[in-house]
Each structure stands twice: as C-alpha cells, then as structure tokens.
C-alpha cells in the first residue's frame, strides 16, 4: 500500500506493507536513531513522537501514522547546533552506551514542550517508558532539569565534580585515617551528592570531567551501532529453537522449508562441522569445558539451537521455520541443581567428544576447592559458630540492544563479521574451527555496543550468521528477539552455605564458604565465575583458617555466563548477610565487627595463589575506613539502626562492604598503537570495546595527559581485528596501561625531533597545551614537529606500539548502604535511600565514574528486590519479556548518593584502579541487612519479593506463638 508519512517535516510517499511496523519503515528510510530493543513497546528504545506524543514504534503500524507528524532525534539538533536537551545530556554525563539515549531525549522533549518547569517527579514519570540499563536514571533526570532551566533562560552554573575535597593517600599499616569528607551539597532526591573539583597533583586532563569523545554522535542519533548499516542483497536469519528442556532429535525434515521461494539456506546439525567448543569469550586456553556444538542433535534447554534459516525477508524466514519438521525423543529433564549429582538424574552430556568437563557422569561441569590453615580446628577454637544458607537467583543482563550480527564477504573473499560483541579477537578465534576458515580469512568489526554487562563477551550468534553467509554467498543479518535474549545467558544461580567461627570479641578464626552453582545447559563460565565467588569475597576479611569449595552443576536451564561482577555479587550477598547475623548473635555492632576484621594495607591475598589466580598479591592501597565513615554518616547508622518500629510500615538501615579486583595478575593483556598526524592529532588504536563504560574517553584522556594535548586531538578507533591491537577482555584496565605506555613512547619521539629542531637536549624540553617549549623560550607546536618529521629532516612517521600486562592488580573497595521501608501487610519492600562510597585509586573521569556507580546500584537493586528468571515445571521461561521480568524504571529509583574516595595506587595508570564492576556487589546484601533491621527477621533468598517477606514474617510469628 502507498502511504504518505511526514517525517521530521519532510513528506515522503512510501510503499508500505499493511502489517509493517513504524519502526521497520523508519529504519528502512535511514532513521537509525530509532532502535529495536523489544517487540512489545516496553523498553522505549524505539520511541518516536507522533503528533508530539511519545509512542513505541515497534508496536505501532506504519499505516497508523499516516497523516501524523513524526519526530525523531535526527531533527532535534546536529553537531553544529545541538538542542539544549542534547547539550545537557552531554554535560551531565547522562550518556553511557547511548542506545536508549534517543528515546529518552524524545520523551524529555515532549515533556518540555508541554511543561517548561517540571519537577523531578514529573521528569521521572516522563521517562518511565524508557528503560536504561546503564545510568540508573540519575543523570538523565538531572539533564532534563538542567535543559528546562536553560530553555527558561536561566543562568546555569558549571557542574561540580563528584570527588571528595580531600585527597586520600595510600594507607600505611596502623595509620589513623584522616577525616574523609567535609561537607557536600544538598541535592534533590535521586541525585548524587557532589563537591567542588580540585587540582589533581598537577594533572590537567586526567581527573577532570572532559566531554565524552563519542557524546555528540550518540545524542544526534548517528548510525554507530552494529545494526545501523545497509547492505545490498542482505538476507535475514532466525534460529529455530527447542520447545523441550531435554531431547534428542531423532529426525529433522527441512525439505519444505528449503523449497520455499526466497529461502536461501536452512542449516541443521547435518550441515555443519561437529566441533566441540566453548562460547565463553575468554583467553586461550579457555578454562571452561568444551561442551557445545554449532548445531547438535541433542537439545538441553528450552530455547537451545535446532536449525537456522536465511531468507530474503523476515516474514519468509518465519514461514520457513514453521515448515521444519522435527521428531524429538523427549528425555527426562533436570531442573533442580540440588538433584544434579543424584544417581537418578539424567546425564546431560553423554557425548564422548566433549572435553574439559569435571565429571560428566554426575553432571558436574567444574569443581574448585582451596584451603588455608585448618578449618575444622578453627571451628573447635571458636567461642561461637554461626551457619547459614543463602540463595541467589538467575538474573539476566538485559542490554537494551539485543545481540545482533551481520556477516558478508569483502572484496578479498574474507569473511567480515560485524557484531555487537565486546571480545572481537576471541570471536575470531572461537568461530574459525566452527565455520572451517582460518583466522586470517576472518575479520571481526565492532562498532558501538549498546550495553554489555558481560553477556556480549560470549559467542552467541556470530558462528551461525557466518555459516549462513558461507552457504549463501550473501550478506546475512541475525538478531535475537527479546525473548531469545532472555533465554540466552544468565548470572549463575547459587546456593551458598556459610559457616563461621568467631571469638567473643568478634575475631574471625575460621570461615567456610560452600557453593552449589547452576551453570545451566553448558559450562562456558562454570569454573572461572564460580571461583570468583570466593576469590573476590573471602579475602575481604582475612582469616587464619579458610575453606572455599564450589561445585558447578549442569541443569536443563539456559546457560549461565558472564554478568557484571562475575561471581562476586553472589558471594557478597552470602558473606555480608552472614556477618550481620554473626554480629547479632554476638550482640555486637555490625560495623564494628567489620572494622575489626577487614583487610588492611600490607595484607596479602593467599587465596588467590591457592585458587590458581597467579602469584600472591599484596594490598598497596585501601580506602575502606573512609568509605565506611561516609556511608555510616549518610545512612544515619547510629540514629536509625535498630529503630524500625512496630507498626505496619517499618524502616531499617543496612550496610555491606565489597572489594573487587580486575583480571588475575599476569593474565589480562592489551596492546595499543598511536600515530601522529600532520595537524597534531593522534590516531589511537586499542582493542577494548566501549559498551557504555566510557573507555574511549578514558583512554583518550590518558593519552592526551601524557602528550600535553587536548582530548579532542585523540581519535579513538573502534575495535577491528584487522586494525586494532589485541585486548584480552572488555576491561579497560589493561588497555589503559597500554595506552599510557604507548603515549610515553610517542612523547619521547616528539621531544627528540623537537630537540633537533631547536638544537637542544630533549630532556630540557617541556610539552604542554600542544606546544613544546625550551628553557630559553623557543617553542614549536606538535603539528610543526609532525610536519618536520615527515617532510624535512627525519622523514619518518612518529608512531609506536605497546603491550601491557598487569603484574600487580589492586582491588577496588566499596561500602554501600541502604534504608528501606517494609509494608508488613503486603510484604512490599521499598528502598528509600541508597548510598555508595567507592575507593578506586585515582578517579580518571568523575562523571563517568559516578555514572558507572549509579548504573551498578540500579542493577544491584533489581537483583535484590525484583529481578529473577522464573521457569515452569517443564523448563520453559516464564519471564521472557520486559513486563514479566521486572527491571526498575526511573520512578522506581530511590534517592541515591555516590562518593568517590581517592587513593594513590602504584599498579594502575595515574594510580587508577578498575572500578566498573564493584558497584553491583554490595547493594543487594545492604538491602537485605536493612530489611532484617526493620523486621527482626532474616530473608536469605533474593530477590526480596513480597511473597518471601510475608513467608518470613509468618514463620517468625509462628515461632513466637510456639514459644
């Protein structure tokens, strides 16, 4: 049908199918700011304004928009003249991955059109239809309020930076902490407390909130994500998935599907190589079992791969999938990890060619144990032994951008994989044997990634998409639906048993953590993530007698993978809940118990050595005393603890500590390359992918600081296995070290050439503000040095490459606190306030650091009170959309305060530590501890749903009655 659409003031006559969504039509017309995030109108990524009102275009038919005025972000402003909203989103740091930003901007634009003076509650309500997994909503709300003020003509003061006024040095053993915080500013509910910026040891760029290098293209809706590309003759692909939790494919008939006109390929296990592999995007040799196949004749969870189809339209793909006939032999399923090792349990991996499985006969994917001292003897010496079992659920990463890959042959007959992965080098290595091509014939390109949180560190669709391009000789696009995204990966569900022996004065003498982890159908992260559960948590409280044991078992549920925190949030929920229980039984203040036992500067981490994570580490810096003092004050611990009341609504406060280290010493490696251009700009090539962490900006800051130039002089290039150097993970820790090292090498070359030009010893030159100055005042610009080197005397390119690997990987530290209100009649838990103080060495970029903390808190709050993957009795996922899986939206968020405490740490670039993950570790146990404070009853399973709270209250009442 022919349809006239008014798009951003331009009327176009288009040929549109009656059932075509407005989202599809807009993207086909090149309006790539409109994103696909779900198919049910719940995420808000596809928001457009229809006659000035925000509407989800994925559930709006294009035909319904005929005669209406449509507005997308492309019309708000451009790089030459941004709208005040776009400027405010940049200035406040409201942009992280940027995938949801266009939708948020449009919702905010519609609000300000009808209300020029909104309050915070009205802004949050306006953004309620836009889900964001990165920001925690604090900064987008600040941005809208700021833009409203600008549009009213008010004078706007520069933003202050969220770092503490007093610079805290590394702590020496026995040193008394200084006062960590003096003042601060009152802020609206939900906003972060900020204090004024101050000089950072002579650094001009590092430590300041520079404008993000990618901000403008994200607020203007530029086509920067994987799916924002048009290729001629591209085919569409979709996967046929298993309806059964456990079955063998007796026969599969694809005759009718292949015969359908417009279908170009139908692949099953009969058509691909049978190569055991692990889909975990980890460094070689991969620690996880190789127990997967591109396509197999056995399926192990509802949603497992059965076949894949490529056709000329998405509709033809779906039609072809319905024509595939599969004869399944349904097998008994295993859904309870407690039953996995039973002799009655079905064996999930009987195949003989899989390898690396710890004990396939008993469904044990991986097993790890470490002992320090004599735990049993320690329990015997204790005055009190406390035990408890804690249960943490499967939760999903839920990036708003679903997994998507596009594959095609280039002009040299090399296979190009354009993917939303964060580990391009691992993708290339892993898929090569699966598709039968050597790595040299595979090029993986990663544009901007719309949220990761760990789930995009696995190979989920790239192999199938590549196989279809090989089979059809055509470009192929393969994307997950939201339901497929939900069943793709999860955080490991765990049952953790804690047993701790203490003296009457609170001294820990023995500690045991026993973990039963559910890896689901495949064991890609079984060993490393579950090992992290003990490695990242137990060293926080050194103990002479320690045991950690983890058994990771298979079940017929979707596989567990990497998720922000990587095993640590599970361990901290158990450990920090358990410490509160110990304090209660001792009659001791819970914070004093922690202060008595916590890690200090100079302490060693012997558990790392015992678990095979490299050499024994020594703590060089730790800001826990300052962090705890801040949180204790801000949650009003002494005023509110133990005073929850007896009425229907009761309040409590809770605190939890955390530590989190980056990759193991000697293992996390990255390279960097840097080249000087004629105009004094530099090309920086690194393998780390920016998925919202701000890595592109942070790396540009580091290089600019070393070279004495501006951040805008550093051009950061996206990850590309043909061009950018290797990076072993998505963490920026190693890449930051490589970037600093390569910048130092280029600086030496700059000064050498400048010394020749000025006829002076290079050691006497200084480099600042893009000018190299001699003691006598003689100077040359960086651009002049570049031109001289290329064309005059040296005739050489000033450039360098560097590799960096951390031999000392200092952990970051955090203290998180929460105040909750509980309705004892309904069981509803409401978090009123969330406070987080993080020590992460030097803060490279305050707004990015604060935004990462706020986003982590939002994810942790969801983990604690609302998020959980729930299955039916046959293994089918019941929470497969954004309505049933309860993500927190802007109106759900509590008042939030974040603080950064700086220390000088010698291991990281400019003293920085990797702090991108720690904010998810402590908030869930802090909320659980606050709930226990409010009710006097402990709930040991999260999320803290109304049902679980009411059951705990009823059990408490019954116990009191029986007494």
């Amino acid at each position: 049908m022919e349809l006239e659409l008014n798009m951003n003031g331009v009327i176009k006559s288009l040929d549109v199918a009656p059932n075509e969504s407005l989202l599809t039509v807009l993207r086909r017309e090149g309006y790539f700011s409109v994103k696909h995030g779900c198919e049910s109108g719940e995420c808000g990524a596809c928001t457009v304004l229809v006659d000035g009102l925000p509407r989800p275009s994925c559930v709006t038919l294009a035909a319904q928009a005929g005669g209406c005025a449509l507005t997308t972000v492309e019309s708000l402003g451009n790089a030459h003249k941004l709208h005040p909203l776009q400027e405010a989103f940049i200035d406040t740091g409201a942009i992280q991955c940027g995938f949801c930003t266009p939708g948020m901007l449009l919702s905010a634009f519609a609000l300000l059109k009808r209300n020029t003076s909104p309050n915070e509650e009205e802004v949050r309500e306006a953004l309620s239809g836009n889900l964001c997994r990165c920001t925690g909503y604090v900064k987008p709300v600040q941005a809208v309020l700021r833009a409203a003020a600008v549009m009213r003509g008010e004078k706007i003061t520069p933003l202050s930076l969220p770092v503490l006024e007093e610079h805290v040095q590394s702590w020496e053993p026995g040193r008394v902490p200084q006062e960590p915080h003096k003042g601060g500013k009152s802020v609206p509910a939900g906003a972060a407390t900020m204090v004024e910026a101050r000089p950072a040891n002579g650094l001009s760029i590092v430590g300041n909130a520079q404008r993000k290098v990618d901000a403008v293209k994200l607020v203007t809706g530029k086509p920067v994500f994987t799916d924002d590309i048009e290729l001629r003759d591209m085919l569409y692909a979709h996967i046929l998935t298993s309806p059964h939790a456990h079955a063998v494919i007796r026969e599969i008939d694809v005759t009718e599907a292949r015969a359908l006109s417009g279908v170009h390929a139908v692949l099953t296990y009969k058509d691909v190589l049978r190569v055991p592999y692990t889909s975990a995007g980890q460094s070689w040799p991969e620690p996880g079992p190789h127990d997967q196949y591109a396509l197999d004749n056995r399926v192990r969870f509802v949603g497992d791969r059965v076949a894949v189809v490529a056709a000329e339209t998405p509709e033809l793909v779906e039609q072809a999938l319905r024509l595939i006939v599969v004869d399944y032999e349904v097998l008994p399923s295993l859904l309870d990890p407690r039953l996995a090792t039973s002799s009655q349990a079905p064996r999930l991996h009987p195949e003989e060619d899989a390898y690396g499985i710890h004990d396939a006969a008993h469904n044990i994917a991986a097993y790890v144990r470490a002992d320090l001292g004599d735990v049993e003897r320690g329990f015997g010496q204790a005055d009190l032994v406390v035990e408890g079992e804690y249960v943490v659920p499967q939760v999903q990463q839920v990036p708003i951008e679903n997994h998507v890959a596009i594959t095609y042959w280039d002009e040299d007959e090399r296979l190009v994989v354009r993917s939303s992965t964060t580990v391009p080098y691992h993708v290339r290595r892993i898929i090569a044997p699966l598709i039968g091509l050597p790595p040299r014939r595979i090029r993986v390109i990663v544009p901007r990634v719309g949220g990761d949180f760990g789930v995009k560190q696995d190979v989920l669709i790239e192999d199938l998409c590549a196989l279809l391009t090989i089979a059809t000789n055509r470009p192929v696009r393969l994307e997950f639906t939201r339901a497929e995204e939900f069943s793709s990966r999860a955080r490991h569900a765990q049952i953790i048993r804690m047993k701790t022996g203490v003296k009457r004065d609170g001294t820990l003498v023995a500690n045991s953590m026993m973990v039963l982890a559910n890896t689901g159908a495949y064991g890609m992260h079984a060993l490393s993530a579950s090992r992290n559960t003990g490695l990242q948590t137990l060293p926080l409280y050194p103990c002479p007698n320690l045991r950690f044991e983890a058994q990771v078992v298979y079940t017929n549920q979707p596989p567990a993978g990497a998720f922000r925190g990587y095993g640590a949030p599970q361990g901290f929920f158990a450990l920090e809940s358990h410490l509160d229980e110990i304090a209660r039984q001792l009659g001791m203040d819970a914070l004093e118990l922690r202060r008595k036992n916590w890690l200090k500067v100079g302490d060693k981490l012997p558990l790392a050595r015992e678990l095979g994570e490299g050499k024994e580490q020594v703590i060089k810096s730790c800001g826990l005393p300052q962090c705890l003092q801040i949180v204790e004050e801000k949650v009003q611990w002494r005023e509110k603890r133990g005073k929850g009341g007896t009425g229907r609504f009761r309040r409590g406060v809770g605190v939890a500590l955390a530590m989190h280290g980056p990759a193991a010493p000697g293992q996390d490696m990255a390279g960097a390359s840097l080249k000087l251009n004629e105009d004094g700009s530099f090309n920086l090539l690194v393998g780390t992918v920016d998925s919202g962490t701000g890595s592109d900006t942070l790396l540009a800051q580091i290089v600019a600081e070393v070279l004495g130039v501006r951040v805008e002089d550093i051009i950061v290039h996206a990850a590309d296995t043909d061009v950018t150097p290797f990076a072993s993970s998505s963490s920026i820790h190693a890449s930051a070290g490589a970037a600093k090292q390569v910048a130092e090498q280029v600086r030496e070359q700059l000064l050498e050439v400048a010394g020749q030009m000025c006829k002076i010893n290079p050691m006497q030159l200084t480099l600042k503000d893009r000018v190299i100055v001699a003691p006598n005042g003689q100077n040359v610009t960086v651009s002049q040095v570049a031109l001289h080197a290329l064309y005059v005397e040296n005739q050489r390119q000033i450039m360098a490459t560097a590799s960096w690997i951390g031999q000392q990987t200092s952990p970051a530290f955090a203290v998180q606190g929460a105040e909750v209100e509980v309705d004892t009649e309904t069981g509803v838990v409401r978090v009123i306030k969330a406070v987080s103080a993080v020590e992460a060495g030097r803060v490279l970029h305050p707004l990015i650091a604060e935004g990462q903390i706020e986003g982590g808190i939002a994810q942790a709050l969801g983990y604690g009170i609302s998020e959980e993957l729930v299955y039916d009795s046959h293994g089918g996922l019941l929470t497969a959309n954004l309505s049933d899986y309860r993500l927190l939206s802007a109106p759900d968020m509590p008042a939030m305060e974040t603080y950064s405490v700086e220390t000088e740490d010698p291991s990281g670039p400019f003293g920085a530590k990797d702090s991108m993950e720690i904010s998810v570790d402590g908030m869930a146990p802090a909320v659980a501890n606050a709930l226990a404070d409010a009710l006097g009853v402990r709930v040991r399973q999260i999320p803290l749903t109304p049902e679980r709270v009411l059951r705990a209250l009823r059990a408490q009442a019954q116990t009191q009655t029986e007494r």
Side-chain angles (χ1 to χ4, degrees):
M1 59 180 286
E2 189 173 332
L3 182 70
E4 280 194 350
L5 289 179
N6 181 348
M7 295 185 285
N8 295 332
V10 177
I11 297 176
K12 294 185 178 182
S13 182
L14 305 174
D15 185 16
V16 175
N19 64 341
E20 210 167 3
S21 72
L22 181 59
L23 169 65
T24 302
V25 171
L26 287 172
R27 288 188 63 81
R28 189 173 69 234
E29 290 301 306
Y31 297 94
F32 289 115
S33 69
V34 188
K35 309 296 185 185
H36 167 242
C38 66
E39 302 79 42
S40 47
E42 294 154 328
C43 76
C46 68
T47 298
V48 297
L49 300 186
V50 181
D51 288 337
L53 298 176
R55 292 287 183 264
S57 60
C58 68
V59 292
T60 302
L61 293 176
Q64 294 176 288
C68 301
L70 306 179
T71 304
T72 71
V73 158
E74 282 88 348
S75 70
L76 289 192
N78 55 48
H80 304 290
K81 185 173 177 56
L82 296 173
H83 188 276
L85 264 171
Q86 295 168 313
E87 290 279 10
F89 265 66
I90 294 172
D91 292 342
T92 60
I95 307 161
Q96 289 195 35
C97 82
F99 194 80
C100 65
T101 298
M104 278 193 170
L105 284 168
L106 290 174
S107 294
F109 181 76
L111 168 68
L112 298 184
K113 277 289 188 181
R114 64 179 186 271
N115 181 0
T116 58
S117 299
N119 58 34
E120 183 183 345
E121 183 179 355
E122 290 168 331
V123 173
R124 289 182 177 275
E125 183 58 34
L127 297 179
S128 62
N130 300 90
L131 294 176
C132 178
R133 199 60 162 156
C134 294
T135 65
Y137 306 102
V138 175
K139 296 199 178 332
V141 171
Q142 291 175 342
V144 178
L145 293 172
R146 183 178 178 85
V150 171
M151 294 169 71
R152 292 193 301 268
E154 299 176 11
K155 184 178 180 180
I156 300 300
T157 58
L159 288 170
S160 55
L161 303 181
V163 291
L164 296 183
E165 291 173 312
E166 191 167 337
H167 188 72
V168 181
Q169 297 296 324
S170 302
W171 298 107
E172 301 298 334
R175 180 179 174 186
V176 178
Q178 303 172 18
E179 287 291 321
H181 183 43
K182 297 177 180 178
K185 298 180 179 178
S186 60
V187 291
T193 299
M194 301 184 199
V195 297
E196 296 299 330
R198 73 281 182 272
N201 288 352
L203 301 175
S204 60
I205 295 175
V206 164
N208 291 317
Q210 302 284 327
R211 173 171 282 204
K212 292 183 71 174
V213 299
D214 49 13
V216 171
K217 66 185 180 186
L218 293 172
V219 296
T220 54
K222 294 295 184 182
V224 299
F225 294 91
T226 297
D227 199 30
D228 298 344
I229 187 175
E230 295 176 301
L231 293 174
R232 182 173 294 182
D233 296 327
M234 186 171 70
L235 301 176
Y236 297 85
H238 204 172
I239 302 169
L240 178 68
T241 59
S242 169
H244 305 293
H246 193 198
V248 169
I249 300 173
R250 285 191 289 230
E251 188 52 62
I252 183 166
D253 186 354
V254 298
T255 306
E256 291 188 43
R258 283 177 174 160
L260 188 64
S261 178
V263 171
H264 290 259
V266 181
L267 303 179
T268 73
Y269 71 92
K270 300 177 182 179
D271 307 299
V272 301
L273 296 171
R274 182 175 175 83
V275 178
Y277 78 106
T278 172
S279 60
Q282 297 178 302
S283 294
W284 182 90
E286 302 96 344
H290 286 57
D291 55 6
Q292 298 171 262
Y293 306 88
L295 291 167
D296 196 4
N297 65 340
R298 179 184 289 259
V299 291
R300 297 174 178 85
F301 69 96
V302 176
D304 206 352
R305 300 167 163 192
V306 174
V308 64
V309 173
E312 292 179 1
T313 67
E315 293 76 17
L316 275 174
V317 172
E318 297 306 315
Q319 186 179 349
L321 291 174
R322 291 192 294 269
L323 294 176
I324 298 174
V325 180
V326 186
D327 179 15
Y328 294 100
E329 178 187 349
V330 179
L331 303 174
S333 57
L334 172 61
L335 301 176
D336 186 347
R338 296 179 189 264
L339 304 177
T341 60
S342 165
S343 60
Q344 305 301 314
R347 183 176 172 182
L348 303 193
H349 284 276
E351 64 274 14
E352 295 183 357
D353 49 352
Y355 61 94
I357 300 174
H358 177 75
D359 184 355
H362 295 92
N363 294 314
I364 302 174
Y367 175 82
V368 61
R369 176 170 171 168
D371 288 271
L372 297 172
D374 187 331
V375 174
E376 298 306 327
R377 182 180 177 184
F379 288 138
Q381 296 171 342
D383 295 325
L384 174 68
V385 176
V386 181
E387 297 187 61
E389 182 176 280
Y390 307 88
V391 181
V392 293
Q394 273 194 346
V395 289
Q396 226 275 327
Q397 296 86 343
V398 199
I400 303 303
E401 178 198 39
N402 295 313
H403 280 81
V404 59
I406 297 172
T407 55
Y408 56 93
W409 294 110
D410 69 8
E411 63 277 9
D412 296 315
E413 289 299 304
R414 298 175 72 238
L415 185 72
V416 179
V417 180
R418 181 180 166 101
S419 172
S420 59
T421 183
T422 58
V423 285
Y425 275 92
H426 297 330
V427 168
R428 184 178 67 172
R429 187 190 73 250
I430 290 169
I431 71 171
L434 305 182
I435 65 177
L437 289 178
R440 67 177 180 276
R441 292 195 60 200
I442 303 170
R443 179 184 183 185
V444 181
I445 299 174
V446 182
R448 184 75 181 190
V449 172
D452 167 31
F453 321 117
V455 73
K456 291 178 180 175
Q457 295 179 27
D458 284 359
V459 179
L460 295 185
I461 57 176
E462 292 88 351
D463 57 328
L464 293 183
C465 199
L467 285 165
L468 289 170
T469 286
I470 292 170
T472 63
N473 210 33
R474 295 266 293 269
V476 176
R477 172 187 178 273
L478 176 57
E479 182 184 22
F480 273 161
T481 64
R482 179 54 60 184
E484 289 168 337
E485 192 71 45
F486 269 115
S487 63
S488 65
R489 287 293 184 272
R491 192 188 293 282
H492 289 78
Q494 293 183 355
I495 301 166
I496 304 174
R497 290 198 59 82
M498 296 292 305
K499 182 178 180 181
T500 304
V502 294
K503 294 292 187 180
R504 283 294 170 194
D505 66 354
T507 302
L508 299 182
V509 293
N511 206 359
S512 171
M513 177 184 282
M514 315 292 284
V515 176
L516 177 64
N518 177 7
T519 191
Y522 304 103
M524 63 288 296
H525 291 272
L527 177 65
S528 47
S530 297
R531 180 170 54 192
N532 242 24
T533 300
L535 179 64
Q536 298 283 9
T537 59
L538 293 175
L540 183 57
Y541 303 103
C543 184
N545 304 292
L546 189 68
R547 173 174 296 162
F548 172 69
E549 184 176 6
Q551 187 178 76
V552 191
V553 298
Y554 291 114
T555 64
N556 290 119
Q557 291 176 341
F563 192 173
R564 193 178 191 177
Y566 202 59
Q570 299 96 308
F572 277 115
F573 175 73
L575 178 64
E576 290 297 297
S577 299
H578 190 60
L579 280 175
D580 259 35
E581 295 196 65
I582 294 170
R584 181 182 60 80
Q585 293 196 35
L586 287 172
M588 187 176 184
D589 180 81
L591 302 191
E592 292 309 312
L593 177 65
R594 289 170 169 85
R595 285 188 173 104
K596 186 175 185 63
N597 291 284
W598 64 19
L599 195 70
K600 300 176 181 66
V601 170
D603 284 347
K604 297 180 179 180
L605 303 178
L607 189 62
R609 181 192 64 240
E610 294 299 317
L611 288 172
E613 287 283 324
K615 64 181 182 180
E616 186 172 85
Q617 298 289 290
V618 178
I619 297 300
K620 299 291 182 65
S621 62
C622 175
L624 276 175
Q626 302 88 335
C627 292
L628 182 55
Q629 186 175 334
I630 292 168
V631 174
E632 182 179 11
E633 172 192 336
K634 297 305 176 182
V635 300
Q636 297 179 281
W637 177 267
R638 301 196 181 280
E639 296 86 350
K640 294 183 176 181
R641 180 73 169 180
K643 300 177 177 63
T646 58
R648 172 180 173 179
F649 295 96
R650 304 180 194 176
R651 290 195 174 191
V653 294
V655 166
L657 276 57
M659 63 179 284
H660 202 107
Q667 294 184 21
D668 193 8
M669 191 278 283
S673 175
L674 188 65
K675 175 177 68 74
L676 172 63
N677 299 313
E678 293 165 294
D679 64 348
S681 66
F682 297 83
N683 295 101
L684 174 64
L685 288 79
V686 289
T688 294
V689 175
D690 196 331
S691 59
T693 61
S695 62
D696 284 357
T697 302
L698 296 174
L699 297 175
Q701 279 185 279
I702 289 169
V703 172
E705 184 71 59
V706 172
L707 294 175
V709 299
R710 305 168 304 179
V711 168
E712 52 264 41
D713 293 325
I714 311 301
I715 305 163
V716 185
H717 292 266
D720 181 336
T721 55
D722 268 14
V723 179
T724 55
F726 177 85
S728 61
S729 76
S730 62
S731 167
I732 71 163
H733 188 256
S735 289
K740 185 172 184 288
Q741 185 172 314
V742 77
E744 289 167 347
Q745 294 177 14
V746 167
R747 179 188 175 94
E748 289 181 9
Q749 296 179 46
L750 277 169
L751 296 179
E752 178 188 346
V753 175
Q756 294 171 3
M757 295 171 69
C758 298
K759 295 181 173 51
I760 193 171
N761 186 339
M763 299 294 291
Q764 297 180 273
L765 298 174
T766 59
L767 172 53
K768 187 177 180 181
D769 297 330
R770 299 188 292 167
V771 178
I772 300 169
V773 182
N776 62 5
Q778 187 180 6
N779 65 80
V780 292
T781 66
V782 173
S783 176
Q784 288 171 333
V785 171
L787 290 166
H788 186 86
L790 286 170
Y791 298 113
V792 183
E793 190 169 329
N794 296 84
Q795 292 188 309
R796 65 176 170 120
Q797 174 76 66
I798 293 179
M799 61 186 300
T801 60
S803 295
W804 191 91
I805 186 165
Q807 298 300 333
Q808 165 74 32
T809 55
S810 296
F813 295 90
V815 178
Q816 295 176 299
E819 182 178 0
V820 305
E821 182 180 80
V822 191
D823 185 339
T824 58
E825 291 189 9
T826 64
V828 171
V829 178
R830 183 170 70 93
V831 181
I832 297 168
K833 186 177 185 179
V835 183
S836 187
V838 175
E839 179 273 304
R842 180 179 299 283
V843 177
L844 298 177
H845 190 297
L847 285 180
I848 289 176
E850 191 178 50
Q852 286 290 300
I853 295 170
E854 291 162 353
I857 290 173
Q859 290 181 347
L861 287 173
Y863 187 47
I865 63 176
S866 64
E867 293 183 39
E868 183 175 15
L869 293 175
V870 180
Y871 300 88
D872 63 24
S873 59
H874 302 289
L877 184 61
L878 297 174
T879 48
N881 59 60
L882 291 168
S883 291
D884 296 327
Y885 188 86
R886 185 71 174 88
L887 289 183
L888 300 181
S889 64
D892 298 322
M893 296 303 296
M896 193 182 298
E897 295 180 15
T898 63
Y899 299 86
S900 293
V901 171
E902 287 193 327
T903 61
E904 286 287 355
D905 191 272
S907 63
F910 295 106
K913 300 180 183 180
D914 193 337
S915 61
M916 300 300 184
E917 298 188 83
I918 195 169
S919 57
V920 303
D921 289 342
M923 192 54 71
V927 171
N929 290 339
L931 176 65
D933 180 48
L935 299 180
V937 59
R938 171 69 55 175
V939 181
R940 296 189 179 93
Q941 181 174 356
I942 53 174
L944 302 171
T945 60
E947 295 82 359
R948 289 180 180 131
V949 172
L950 290 176
R951 281 199 295 268
L953 285 170
R954 288 168 186 159
Q956 180 191 50
Q958 184 177 351
T959 300
Q960 292 172 347
T961 300
E962 291 173 353
R963 290 176 181 172

